Amino acid sequence: LSEAEWLKGTASERLAFAMTGGEIQVGQKLQAKFWDGVFYPAEVLVVSNSAKRTKAPIKVRYVGYPDEAWLSEAEIRLKKQKQKQKQARQSMTVDVSVLSPGVRLQAFAEGAWHSAEVVAVSAASKRSKAPVKVTYLGYTSASDEWLAADHLRCKLLKPAGEESSARVRKKIEVKKPDTHNRTYSYFRLPNQLQVIVGSEAECDVAGAALCVNVGMCHERKDLPGLAHFLEHMLFTGTKKYPKEGEYHEFMNQNGGMANAYTTCYFTNYMFQVKPEKLEEALDRFAGFFAEPLLSRDCTEREINAVDSEFQGGHTNPWWRYIGIMNMSANPDHPFHVAVGSNKMLRDEPKERGLDLYEEMKKLYESCYSANGMALVVFGQESADKMESIIRSKFGSVKNKKVKMPIGDGVSDKPPFLPSDWNRLLLQMPVKDFKELEFSWVLPWQDPFWRSKPTAYPSHIIGYEGAGSMISVLKQQGVISRCSTSNGAWLEGAFSLFKVCFELSDAGLQKIKEIGTHLFALIGMLQKCPVEKWIFDEMASLRKIQFKFSEDTQPFDLCPDMALSLLRRPPAEVLAGGELLYKYDPKAIASVMAKLTLDSVRVTHQAKSLADRCVDKDTSYDSPMVFLPLEEEWLSAWKAALNPGDGSAEAAVTAAGTLGITLPKPNPFIPEDLSLRALPADRPPLPVKLPATGQFATSVFFRQDDIFRQPKDQIVFIIYSPFVSKDVESSTKVELWCLAVSEALNEFTYDAEIAGVSYSLTMGSGSVNLVIAGFNDKLAVLLDAITEKMVSMVEVPENIFSIVADSYGDDLKNSAFHSPPYRQCGMRFNELVNRGTAPPAYKKFEVFQKLKREDLSGLASKLFESCHIEALVLGNASPEDAQGLAAALARGLKLQKPLTSLPERAEATLPAGSTLWSLDSTDEEDPNHAVFLRIQMRDSMEDENMLRLVDKILSAKFFDILRTQQQLGYIVQMGTSSSPNFLYLYAVVQTEFHPDYARSRIDHFLTEHFKYIEEELSQEELQTCVDGILSDLRMKPKNLHEEMARYQFFLSNRTYDFGRRQRSIEFLEAGVTLEALRAFTREKVQTAPRIYNQVKKVMQKSDKELPEGASIPEDGPDLRVWKTHAEVVETFAASAEWIPISSSV
């Protein structure tokens, strides 16, 4: 047949030709359409000539799944057919040079026109017959192919010789929120590396990220952690910049930072730097991918660094969870998850005669290829200038023409065998943690980004409003929280659909009942048609939220966009993951149909399961066990999933009997999105408004003239003597805040998903109410909150049981299962603060004795005497701000104002050096910690001088103590401040003896204070000054960031909102070497210092000290404290206490 005859034929005639031509045979692999509209790999089971099978004569089974289907010819796609390639198709002479990568068009393939996008246009003679390579939208790159011009439809294409105005590369418009002031441009380098640049002339912080489509599942399965180890090795130097640690030091001193992460299928590298240094930073960054050193000398150190990360996961539920995922994975599928450890990367490979270093280089050389990379760069240069820079820096990255598999291309084997997945998993956690999770494995969902079929069931199952499953179970007191989620960064060959319940103590005995409610809801969703109005409401909300979504810093946004660029079309890197473009009820139904009993995994975690967890996981040796699902549960859940006659009516009735219904329309969808007119005089900082009442006398306000969104950020601080009266009062207030929030949850959940949220928490001698989001509905939300705060005289039993159970677990975990470095912080805060929140262990002691009745009438005691302070930012007027503060005071029915606030104070540390050493409160954590603080009185000038000391030393501290000496994963130097004090701090969490780690901190400070005194150059000093100035000049990217800058000064009651600008002016005036040296010598080195040291109690040997190392003896001047309560009490009686302002 000729091509024309082929196209004129009917579908059955074309199919008959294909069959007689031997193109469709039993056992053949092809692409077959599933009922969700997407083509998947499949295998032909039957080719029928029966008359009754004329419309669908081909029976296929989908690879990796049990599904089978009879299909028509239009529902299959053959792989490159030799016979079709031989058919002569006359090519018309068309000018394809007007096309460029990213252009959308129609491409003809296998008898039909399909939406596609240009990948490449070739002028090579060997490509003359098919010069345009396209990728089919919605399909993986495995379907990409080179096509002739007459297989393409595009308005740009014209016969050769005709004038065309489209010879310039067509720009791809990246859809973006209104808040993004950058101009985004997309292009592809000749080596096929994809790039998006964000140009903004007013850019005050530059950044970049490069994501490569290589991850843990691309490494050798018998070398777990190799991809993560490679990520670490890329930071150790390049041919042009070979000095180890120089990259981090450059970023740190130039107002920036750098990091990376490795997931199952991607590795992402990112940095942020002051704009003037972007080109120089890119020069260093590009070397990672063009000419890394990958020095063998760094191997041992970086293995230790990876091991330190691994050890940090011992008590982390997430890392234990993914370790068990490894145990469940199909050994014939590449999926596995591994951070890596000394055992995995050093000991076991040596025993097997493997050279880890060579294997790491092989992974880099074989997999890191330009055509599998995506780069995103933000800067102040023009798009053309940035493109020129990027072409010069990244053009030399090799295109090895490899494309790492993703999605269905990863394997034709399932990632988990049904018999391994469909089980009950019991786990005993380290922390007090009671959780029940139902999870299902789904086909990888990325190809469905336009319709997002999991969004609909996720929304309804995770809904918390009236009539929801979650609300019903909370009313029964068996759960405290519930959420739906996916597999996060584990996904790439599959996706997960998870429903996770946080259980109360009562819920531990109600697993069957909780599952019954879940499966009754799932059964209703499976049997009832998809409600289009719910989908439309979700789509509308997402559209509004995307349009007004907040911009973020390059360090966060660049890597997100780079990852998205490898997964979605360039125009959709920002919008594609958020918006719902397509209503596809069949795809939604397909997802819900997969939520079955024979494909579910049930995971139950609780301390009470200790006796049943008789096995150990293979990653962290944590107690666990796999068991068959209990027959009693399965019987009840089956009845809930298929009630009565199996009809939709029966399912709705059964769910309704349990109190479960579908959501009602959301009343909080914003209607008024208009912006307030801006006054001619617009203060750049918050100003204090005139008092309009006796309670809210300190209301600060700034109308947003930067982001111009219909949103507000509001902070109310309600000071009350009752909060800080004693530990019991503080504990009651904190628990009461949780009870009020829980009582409001049904009402406020709709507000939250509509972009209006709040938090009610206990502060320092206060109750803090924060409200944020679209200003259209904020007043309604505020009225509801205040009404509940006043009216809930008695806490209902079910609410108390929910919040008390969760609160008790949180207190217990904080007091007894915090990481060692955090324990150091908690002990320090307990020592030096008065009138603030008491420590968790004291609150836990009080909590254990509290009853529901103890919260009765608490609101009247709390609001008997109060003072309100507020900060309002956003789309509001001064009258709006005053009105909201007055509404709060009126709604809370405040009785009398305070004349002064409750006492709060901070202690001055004793002169000299103090070591306060205590045992760890976590018996299962293998780490020690040392936390040094050097204390100075606060002043703007000293704060900036201390910032300079930190800027000079912190990168060196990290390089020497973490990279070179390998003390641990958590190694950091920095500065912090409180209302009265400044601190230079250094922290190390380590498996070495804590006295050894402390000696290394001391040695570093001695050597580097000397370095400042004798070796620091004016050039390095100025670099650091410029770096701090870059940090300080950085504008907030959204209202939330702006609020964070002011909130510290609101809560410490200095209201010094202009301090940042004065700091800029101080540094711009210049800092001399002598001034810095005098400051370091006379203030920093003589300031009091304290070492909070936490020593592990776990029965595990410390790491052996490096060869030749020893623990030096402490000097006679070191003050040593070794008790807890006694030290706190004695110190409090003798310390000098500096008060925090309490005047009203």
Side-chain angles (χ1 to χ4, degrees):
L1 292 176
S2 67
E3 180 74 11
E5 291 171 321
W6 169 271
L7 293 175
K8 288 179 182 178
T10 64
S12 59
E13 288 171 336
R14 294 201 302 271
L15 176 62
F17 172 78
M19 290 170 61
T20 55
E23 291 188 41
I24 302 178
Q25 301 174 1
V26 172
Q28 185 173 353
K29 300 291 178 64
L30 40 68
Q31 294 280 311
K33 192 174 185 180
F34 195 53
W35 70 319
D36 59 7
V38 176
F39 284 79
Y40 295 95
E43 180 180 340
V44 177
L45 299 179
V46 178
V47 179
S48 175
N49 290 318
S50 169
K52 68 178 183 178
R53 288 290 179 196
T54 302
K55 292 184 178 180
I58 309 163
K59 187 176 184 180
V60 302
R61 176 184 293 122
Y62 296 93
V63 175
Y65 299 94
D67 305 81
E68 298 177 358
W70 286 92
L71 302 176
S72 67
E73 178 262 353
E75 294 172 309
I76 63 169
R77 287 182 176 168
L78 301 177
K79 293 185 178 180
K80 296 181 179 179
Q81 302 171 17
K82 293 181 180 179
Q83 187 163 349
K84 289 191 74 175
Q85 289 178 337
K86 293 178 181 179
Q87 294 170 352
R89 186 177 174 102
Q90 301 298 320
S91 295
M92 62 179 179
T93 305
V94 171
D95 180 9
V96 296
S97 68
V98 297
L99 300 178
S100 61
V103 170
R104 294 284 181 88
L105 39 63
Q106 294 279 305
F108 185 86
E110 296 164 359
W113 292 94
H114 304 275
S115 295
E117 183 177 300
V118 176
V119 173
V121 180
S122 175
S125 57
K126 67 177 182 179
R127 290 289 181 198
S128 59
K129 293 184 178 179
V132 182
K133 187 177 184 180
V134 301
T135 185
Y136 295 98
L137 300 183
Y139 301 92
T140 66
S141 59
S143 301
D144 293 1
E145 61 181 327
W146 291 90
L147 297 178
D150 59 350
H151 280 60
L152 305 172
R153 287 177 180 169
C154 181
K155 291 180 180 178
L156 297 176
L157 292 175
K158 294 184 178 182
E162 288 190 18
E163 289 296 323
S164 173
S165 61
R167 289 187 177 276
V168 180
R169 172 173 53 87
K170 179 179 170 62
K171 290 185 178 179
I172 293 176
E173 182 179 349
V174 176
K175 297 176 187 174
K176 63 178 185 176
D178 290 353
T179 54
H180 288 214
N181 295 321
R182 303 175 202 92
T183 299
Y184 293 113
S185 301
Y186 168 83
F187 57 92
R188 194 188 290 259
L189 299 182
N191 59 8
Q192 298 304 299
L193 193 154
Q194 296 188 79
V195 184
I196 284 181
V197 295
S199 173
E200 182 182 6
E202 300 299 318
C203 171
D204 53 15
V205 57
L210 187 145
C211 189
V212 57
N213 64 344
V214 178
M216 300 172 186
C217 294
H218 300 118
E219 68 196 11
R220 288 180 54 162
K221 207 168 182 177
D222 63 343
L223 283 177
L226 186 64
H228 183 210
F229 172 62
L230 170 56
E231 171 216 305
H232 275 249
M233 289 292 289
L234 286 181
F235 282 89
T236 59
T238 65
K239 289 182 180 178
K240 187 173 181 179
Y241 301 98
K243 182 183 174 184
E244 224 181 320
E246 189 273 345
Y247 178 75
H248 279 294
E249 185 169 14
F250 172 85
M251 295 298 178
N252 181 271
Q253 292 189 348
N254 286 285
M257 51 188 162
N259 207 344
Y261 64 80
T262 302
T263 69
C264 284
Y265 293 91
F266 301 95
T267 304
N268 215 336
Y269 302 82
M270 70 289 300
F271 72 80
Q272 183 169 293
V273 74
K274 65 181 183 181
E276 299 81 6
K277 293 292 182 178
L278 175 61
E279 183 170 0
E280 197 172 340
L282 287 172
D283 195 43
R284 287 166 162 78
F285 190 51
F288 284 29
F289 314 102
E291 49 178 18
L293 282 182
L294 299 177
S295 172
R296 185 182 287 273
D297 294 341
C298 300
T299 301
E300 187 69 23
R301 286 202 302 271
E302 292 308 317
I303 290 175
N304 287 331
V306 169
D307 182 71
S308 294
E309 283 191 61
F310 173 80
Q311 298 302 332
H314 263 289
T315 60
N316 188 309
W318 167 254
W319 284 108
R320 289 185 167 204
Y321 164 78
I322 63 174
I324 294 172
M325 289 283 283
N326 281 338
M327 299 171 63
S328 309
N330 181 354
D332 293 328
H333 189 281
F335 174 75
H336 69 287
V337 190
V339 176
S341 66
N342 284 342
K343 178 183 176 183
M344 300 173 194
L345 294 173
R346 184 184 62 198
D347 302 339
E348 291 181 352
K350 279 184 180 179
E351 291 174 4
R352 290 159 34 215
L354 288 174
D355 186 332
L356 182 79
Y357 172 76
E358 291 299 330
E359 293 299 328
M360 176 272 298
K361 286 187 67 177
K362 286 180 187 176
L363 181 64
Y364 178 83
E365 294 296 338
S366 62
C367 298
Y368 269 54
S369 177
N371 66 311
M373 296 177 179
L375 173 68
V376 175
V377 181
F378 293 172
Q380 63 186 4
E381 296 85 353
S382 68
D384 288 342
K385 174 65 174 175
M386 277 197 280
E387 180 173 343
S388 175
I389 293 170
I390 290 165
R391 289 184 182 278
S392 68
K393 307 296 183 189
F394 292 86
S396 60
V397 179
K398 291 182 181 178
N399 179 7
K400 300 160 189 173
K401 300 181 180 178
V402 295
K403 195 82 170 180
M404 304 311 295
I406 196 76
D408 296 331
V410 171
S411 175
D412 60 358
K413 305 290 193 303
F416 305 96
L417 297 173
S419 58
D420 292 332
W421 185 263
N422 187 212
R423 294 186 286 177
L424 171 65
L425 167 61
L426 301 181
Q427 290 181 263
M428 191 195 83
V430 171
K431 298 183 177 182
D432 283 271
F433 194 64
K434 303 184 290 287
E435 189 176 273
L436 177 67
E437 181 180 278
F438 297 79
S439 53
W440 291 266
V441 180
L442 302 177
W444 195 42
Q445 293 297 298
D446 255 30
F448 315 123
W449 60 269
R450 294 186 63 82
S451 59
K452 300 178 179 63
T454 59
Y456 181 89
S458 180
H459 168 66
I460 295 177
I461 294 173
Y463 184 70
E464 298 183 30
S468 67
M469 172 196 68
I470 296 173
S471 178
V472 170
L473 291 173
K474 282 186 172 184
Q475 289 171 17
Q476 295 175 10
V478 295
I479 70 168
S480 56
R481 294 187 184 93
C482 176
S483 62
T484 59
S485 62
N486 57 26
W489 55 264
L490 303 179
E491 297 191 357
F494 60 88
S495 289
L496 294 176
F497 188 91
K498 302 193 291 183
V499 183
C500 184
F501 298 94
E502 186 176 306
L503 305 177
S504 65
D505 286 338
L508 291 171
Q509 310 303 320
K510 299 291 183 179
I511 305 300
K512 180 180 73 174
E513 289 78 4
I514 294 169
T516 297
H517 283 72
L518 173 61
F519 283 104
L521 176 55
I522 291 173
M524 180 171 68
L525 293 177
Q526 289 176 341
K527 293 173 178 59
C528 295
V530 175
E531 293 283 355
K532 189 173 187 299
W533 76 263
I534 293 179
F535 179 90
D536 289 342
E537 183 181 271
M538 291 168 58
S540 176
L541 277 173
R542 287 188 179 219
K543 188 174 182 179
I544 293 171
Q545 289 167 353
F546 177 75
K547 176 179 174 65
F548 297 108
S549 62
E550 297 178 332
D551 197 3
T552 53
Q553 298 294 344
F555 194 73
D556 300 314
L557 186 55
C558 286
D560 289 348
M561 291 178 66
L563 174 61
S564 182
L565 187 53
L566 288 177
R567 300 169 66 174
R568 284 178 276 274
E572 299 290 344
V573 292
L574 289 167
E578 304 298 327
L579 299 182
L580 291 170
Y581 289 107
K582 179 182 177 183
Y583 175 59
D584 192 341
K586 288 185 178 180
I588 294 170
S590 172
V591 166
M592 294 192 296
K594 290 178 171 61
L595 307 184
T596 64
L597 284 173
D598 57 6
S599 62
V600 69
R601 165 170 289 183
V602 180
T603 303
H604 184 21
Q605 297 190 62
K607 287 277 193 181
S608 59
L609 300 173
D611 292 342
R612 299 178 65 186
C613 295
V614 295
D615 295 333
K616 300 280 188 180
D617 85 76
T618 54
S619 294
Y620 290 105
D621 289 331
S622 62
M624 50 76 66
V625 68
F626 279 115
L627 298 170
L629 288 167
E630 295 189 15
E631 288 298 329
E632 182 183 357
W633 297 355
L634 289 173
S635 178
W637 298 346
K638 183 177 180 181
L641 195 60
N642 295 288
D645 61 2
S647 65
E649 292 77 8
V652 171
T653 300
T657 302
L658 295 174
I660 300 171
T661 61
L662 290 178
K664 301 294 189 294
N666 191 328
F668 279 94
I669 296 177
E671 298 169 4
D672 180 7
L673 297 174
S674 62
L675 297 176
R676 301 282 194 273
L678 293 173
D681 181 23
R682 300 194 294 274
L685 298 171
V687 295
K688 187 175 182 179
L689 299 177
T692 57
Q694 57 181 337
F695 295 102
T697 58
S698 297
V699 177
F700 297 88
F701 166 76
R702 197 185 87 79
Q703 184 172 353
D704 170 38
D705 59 354
I706 300 173
F707 310 111
R708 301 299 287 151
Q709 290 192 299
K711 294 181 178 182
D712 288 339
Q713 285 267 338
I714 306 169
V715 173
F716 293 111
I717 302 179
I718 309 166
Y719 290 101
S720 168
F722 183 79
V723 177
S724 53
K725 177 183 175 184
D726 51 35
V727 177
E728 182 176 346
S729 293
S730 292
T731 307
K732 286 180 179 178
V733 170
E734 195 164 35
L735 186 55
W736 176 83
C737 288
L738 293 170
V740 171
S741 299
E742 183 57 44
L744 282 165
N745 191 62
E746 268 194 9
F747 176 77
T748 59
Y749 183 77
D750 279 323
E752 184 178 342
I753 60 177
V756 184
S757 61
Y758 83 101
S759 67
L760 182 67
T761 59
M762 186 183 74
S764 180
S766 64
V767 169
N768 296 349
L769 174 62
V770 178
I771 305 179
F774 293 106
N775 55 270
D776 180 36
K777 305 290 184 179
L778 285 187
V780 177
L781 181 60
L782 178 61
D783 287 344
I785 295 168
T786 55
E787 192 280 330
K788 183 61 68 175
M789 291 169 73
V790 172
S791 66
M792 198 172 71
V793 178
E794 301 288 335
V795 177
E797 181 63 48
N798 70 303
I799 288 178
F800 181 81
S801 67
I802 290 170
V803 298
D805 195 278
S806 179
Y807 180 59
D809 285 349
D810 290 344
L811 285 179
K812 195 172 181 181
N813 288 330
S814 179
F816 307 115
H817 297 298
S818 290
Y821 77 97
R822 288 186 183 165
Q823 294 179 43
C824 292
M826 291 189 292
R827 297 293 85 81
F828 177 79
N829 289 333
E830 181 183 6
L831 183 74
V832 301
N833 291 315
R834 175 184 286 173
T836 57
Y841 75 92
K842 285 189 175 182
K843 289 191 287 185
F844 184 67
E845 290 172 2
V846 169
F847 166 77
Q848 290 178 298
K849 302 172 186 176
L850 284 181
K851 302 181 182 63
R852 179 179 68 90
E853 293 75 18
D854 294 324
L855 300 185
S856 298
L858 187 140
S860 62
K861 301 173 187 175
L862 181 62
F863 302 129
E864 181 181 359
S865 299
C866 284
H867 172 71
I868 296 175
E869 299 196 345
L871 176 56
V872 180
L873 303 178
N875 186 41
S877 67
E879 294 74 24
D880 293 333
Q882 292 169 319
L884 287 167
L888 176 67
R890 186 171 57 250
L892 294 179
K893 300 179 181 178
L894 301 183
Q895 299 173 34
K896 61 181 180 180
L898 291 175
T899 56
S900 66
L901 301 188
E903 180 195 8
R904 292 185 294 164
E906 298 177 287
T908 303
L909 292 174
S913 296
T914 304
L915 169 62
W916 189 14
S917 182
L918 295 171
D919 285 344
S920 175
T921 59
D922 191 341
E923 298 177 353
E924 297 186 58
D925 198 300
N927 294 290
H928 309 286
V930 182
F931 207 131
L932 164 69
R933 285 180 176 84
I934 299 175
Q935 184 191 64
M936 300 169 53
R937 284 301 300 269
D938 177 57
S939 75
M940 182 275 292
E941 294 80 5
D942 285 354
E943 179 181 32
N944 287 290
M945 296 298 278
L946 197 61
R947 282 173 173 160
L948 272 172
V949 173
D950 170 57
K951 185 67 76 174
I952 293 163
L953 298 186
S954 57
K956 297 177 175 68
F957 183 83
F958 181 88
D959 179 53
I960 292 172
L961 273 70
R962 185 180 187 269
T963 305
Q964 297 180 32
Q965 297 177 6
Q966 295 290 302
L967 293 188
Y969 180 62
I970 297 175
V971 174
Q972 186 181 13
M973 174 177 279
T975 62
S976 64
S977 61
S978 66
N980 292 306
F981 293 103
L982 305 170
Y983 295 95
L984 178 69
Y985 69 82
V987 58
V988 174
Q989 184 165 289
T990 183
E991 291 183 84
F992 290 109
H993 193 285
D995 289 341
Y996 175 70
R998 178 164 51 88
S999 74
R1000 295 296 84 206
I1001 295 173
D1002 276 345
H1003 184 265
F1004 175 87
L1005 290 177
T1006 300
E1007 290 292 311
H1008 286 79
F1009 286 153
K1010 183 179 178 182
Y1011 169 82
I1012 290 175
E1013 186 70 34
E1014 299 177 1
E1015 299 179 45
L1016 179 66
S1017 67
Q1018 182 64 45
E1019 181 182 7
E1020 183 179 357
L1021 172 60
Q1022 190 57 49
T1023 296
C1024 292
V1025 169
D1026 292 342
I1028 296 172
L1029 280 169
S1030 177
D1031 291 339
L1032 293 171
R1033 290 169 180 155
M1034 189 187 307
K1035 298 181 180 69
K1037 295 298 182 186
N1038 50 62
L1039 273 179
H1040 178 75
E1041 287 187 10
E1042 184 177 4
M1043 176 63 80
R1045 292 188 175 185
Y1046 302 140
Q1047 198 166 348
F1048 172 77
F1049 301 108
L1050 181 71
S1051 61
N1052 72 19
R1053 307 196 74 242
T1054 63
Y1055 318 117
D1056 190 7
F1057 306 127
R1059 181 158 173 159
R1060 190 183 195 95
Q1061 181 57 37
R1062 295 203 313 278
S1063 294
I1064 291 172
E1065 292 166 1
F1066 171 79
L1067 291 169
E1068 285 178 338
V1071 178
T1072 65
L1073 270 173
E1074 185 49 46
L1076 180 68
R1077 286 168 176 164
F1079 171 78
T1080 306
R1081 185 173 59 247
E1082 297 168 11
K1083 291 194 174 184
V1084 179
Q1085 295 187 64
T1086 60
R1089 63 176 67 182
I1090 185 170
Y1091 297 89
N1092 286 94
Q1093 195 161 289
V1094 167
K1095 187 175 182 180
K1096 74 164 187 267
V1097 294
M1098 182 182 185
Q1099 296 302 306
K1100 180 183 177 182
S1101 299
D1102 292 334
K1103 271 191 174 181
E1104 290 186 12
L1105 300 184
E1107 186 177 350
S1110 62
I1111 301 174
E1113 291 187 9
D1114 291 322
D1117 295 333
L1118 180 67
R1119 185 183 299 107
V1120 179
W1121 296 340
K1122 290 190 175 180
T1123 61
H1124 184 184
E1126 180 185 353
V1127 164
V1128 174
E1129 183 178 350
T1130 304
F1131 176 79
S1134 61
E1136 177 190 4
W1137 290 90
I1138 311 299
I1140 298 171
S1141 171
S1142 61
S1143 62
V1144 173

